[in-house]
Amino acid sequence: MTTTAPSQAGWSELLGPRYRSTSAVLAGGVGLHAVNIFLTTSLLPTAIGELGRESLYAWSATVFMVASVISSMIVSRLLAHRGALGAYLFALAPFFAGTMICAIGPSMEVLLVGRAVQGIGGGLLAGLSYAVLREALPERLWARATALVSAMWGVGTLAGPAIGGLFAQLGHWRLAFVALAVVAAVIAVIAPRALPRTERVRGGEPVPATSLALLTLATIAISVAGILGNRTHMLILIAVGVVFVAAFLAWERRSPRRVLPTSTYSRASSLKWIYLTIAVLASGTVSEAFTPLFGQRLAGLAPFAAGFLGAMMSVGWSVTMIFSSDISRRRTKTVAMVTGPLVLAAGLLLTAALWRDDAGLAVVILWAVTLAAAGAGIGLAFPHLMVAAMQSTDDAHEGAKAAAGLNTVELIAMAVGSAVAGVLVNLGAPSTLTSAQLLFLGLGVIATAGVFTAYRATRQADRGTADPS
């Protein structure tokens, strides 16, 4: 494990002439993925009006999520076989193709095919941004680069709905997809000058087919559970998904062919605790999907204002992440990793306590503050957890797998979190107030578990045993 702290490095170096193009390409890949998610959400109501088949509405997000999770699991192998530049260009191809399918699709069924193809490219782009970052930039810039790349999710939360809403309002929703495809093409043009042509491995590690199958089945079960209206069916599918996740972990622990690094399953490793903490933080973000609805129904907010209320958590983590990445002292980083989940939990629980029927402006402002505070907890811990995962081994191949695994863990956590959120909201129905309180209370309780996992991660890392091999 790398035990020496990287030297202080400024934003001026990351965004300066030497690494400017690299930063733009890595951030742009995640930005494309994030903007696409939220842009599509705001476009779909208009698209449904033209394409029909409203019964397929919820499947747009589901097929995209499942495809993203599946593709994220092959990132490290793609990187090994094609190198940093080749892998990134390979990932841009299905994203571009899927986006154009969405743009010209004559029916909802075709649009769903486009969303699946987009998801393949998006999952690869998001995972590669962290893995290639490790290859393309010096270690002293990892924390800031991770903050920059992760902040693109906040940009997507704000820009996606605004761009999608604008194109929908103008009656040209298809052009929004065309615009995304153009941006993907521009990134593909810049990439050869920005990314290293790293060594390719011929043959290499076999594909862990059983692990991939088990995790894919888990993702499908959990993702479908999140769109079901029947509470019993939802709980059954979540239980099935949990069983598949347990089977995946049991298989990976004893199999020589793994999705995640070998050290993840070592008793002495900090990596499993890092992944668990990241999963807890990621699951807290699923509340953003429901916050605009709560704002409209509990405070009578206009859709535009409700959308910005829903983005407050993203604003909180994006801004905080930029400042948190400046932390250089090892002890302060440790405090940030443990404090982050605590702040997230406090923000979620406070928001749960503040939900009111017929809320006035003062209460809405309090909601915005506590949501931003919850997001700040994510931003406080996230860059240091990411870097800790990338530093968890000195072996280049295992390090690439650890970095690629970050996105897989995030996506699985968001799929599970979305399904759990669906259950909590349904438990509170038909009362919107009860649903809001249960959702944020439940997510707040989950967030408190992150304090324990972060503490264990930092303790193991301090002992220098993250990679016993």
Side-chain angles (χ1 to χ4, degrees):
M1 173 186 173
T2 302
T3 56
T4 56
S7 60
Q8 181 77 0
W11 285 100
S12 58
E13 182 180 6
L14 179 65
L15 302 178
R18 184 175 181 183
Y19 297 116
R20 183 185 299 144
S21 296
T22 304
S23 300
V25 169
L26 295 177
V30 172
L32 271 177
H33 185 50
V35 168
N36 173 60
I37 291 173
F38 296 103
L39 174 146
T40 304
T41 301
S42 61
L43 284 180
L44 273 181
T46 303
I48 285 288
E50 178 181 329
L51 301 176
R53 296 302 301 272
E54 187 173 347
S55 60
L56 298 176
Y57 180 93
W59 284 97
S60 172
T62 301
V63 297
F64 183 86
M65 174 65 75
V66 171
S68 295
V69 173
I70 293 171
S71 65
S72 74
M73 292 187 283
I74 62 170
V75 164
S76 61
R77 283 160 183 80
L78 181 63
L79 188 60
H81 286 290
R82 292 184 172 268
L85 175 59
Y88 213 82
L89 292 175
F90 184 92
L92 283 167
F95 186 89
F96 178 88
T99 303
M100 289 306 299
I101 291 172
C102 290
I104 64 176
S107 66
M108 191 61 185
E109 289 84 353
V110 174
L111 187 140
L112 291 181
V113 171
R115 290 288 284 158
V117 178
Q118 268 190 329
I120 293 170
L124 290 174
L125 284 173
L128 281 169
S129 292
Y130 295 122
V132 172
L133 181 157
R134 191 180 187 276
E135 304 279 346
L137 297 170
E139 187 174 342
R140 65 181 180 275
L141 293 176
W142 286 358
R144 284 176 176 79
T146 298
L148 177 65
V149 168
S150 300
M152 291 301 102
W153 286 100
V155 172
T157 306
L158 291 170
I163 296 171
L166 176 63
F167 277 101
Q169 189 166 333
L170 293 174
H172 299 294
W173 64 268
R174 294 179 185 273
L175 289 181
F177 287 115
V178 174
L180 273 183
V182 169
V183 174
V186 170
I187 293 176
V189 171
I190 299 172
R193 301 193 300 271
L195 301 181
R197 289 171 169 81
T198 53
E199 183 180 354
R200 301 183 183 188
V201 178
R202 296 190 180 277
E205 187 178 352
V207 174
T210 303
S211 294
L212 290 174
L214 289 171
L215 201 48
T216 298
L217 290 171
T219 305
I220 292 172
I222 293 169
S223 298
V224 172
I227 64 174
L228 294 179
N230 185 290
R231 190 181 303 170
T232 302
H233 294 166
M234 183 184 293
L235 290 172
I236 290 172
L237 274 180
I238 290 176
V240 170
V242 170
V243 169
F244 278 125
V245 169
F248 163 79
L249 294 173
W251 176 264
E252 283 252 308
R253 184 183 295 275
R254 59 186 176 83
S255 173
R257 302 178 183 180
R258 298 181 174 92
V259 170
L260 300 176
T262 303
S263 58
T264 308
Y265 306 99
S266 168
R267 183 182 297 274
S269 172
S270 66
L271 189 56
K272 61 178 174 293
W273 298 111
I274 293 170
Y275 280 160
L276 284 170
T277 308
I278 288 171
V280 167
L281 295 176
S283 67
T285 66
V286 303
S287 61
E288 290 183 308
F290 297 90
T291 300
L293 175 66
F294 298 153
Q296 290 183 55
R297 293 190 178 177
L298 297 179
L301 296 178
F304 186 76
F308 272 100
L309 179 67
M312 288 309 298
M313 184 177 286
S314 291
V315 171
W317 93 55
S318 298
V319 173
T320 307
M321 215 174 317
I322 300 300
F323 291 101
S324 179
S325 66
D326 285 334
I327 297 173
S328 59
R329 293 182 59 187
R330 184 180 181 86
R331 183 174 181 81
T332 310
K333 291 179 183 179
T334 298
V335 171
M337 284 191 279
V338 176
T339 305
L342 182 63
V343 174
L344 171 63
L348 291 170
L349 293 172
L350 277 172
T351 307
L354 288 170
W355 289 120
R356 296 284 186 278
D357 274 318
D358 300 320
L361 178 61
V363 174
V364 172
I365 292 173
L366 285 176
W367 292 345
V369 170
T370 54
L371 287 167
I378 298 172
L380 187 62
F382 219 69
H384 307 297
L385 290 164
M386 294 290 203
V387 172
M390 289 188 281
Q391 291 177 334
S392 63
T393 176
D394 291 321
D395 181 271
H397 179 64
E398 284 291 289
K401 288 182 73 172
L406 291 167
N407 186 54
T408 301
V409 169
E410 284 183 69
L411 290 172
I412 289 293
M414 291 173 69
V416 173
S418 296
V420 171
V423 171
L424 293 172
V425 168
N426 278 334
L427 284 175
S431 168
T432 301
L433 176 59
T434 304
S435 292
Q437 291 170 336
L438 283 177
L439 173 61
F440 279 78
L441 177 62
L443 294 178
V445 170
I446 292 172
T448 60
V451 180
F452 171 74
T453 58
Y455 174 75
R456 290 298 302 269
T458 57
R459 285 293 299 273
Q460 294 284 41
D462 287 340
R463 292 171 186 163
T465 55
D467 187 4
S469 63

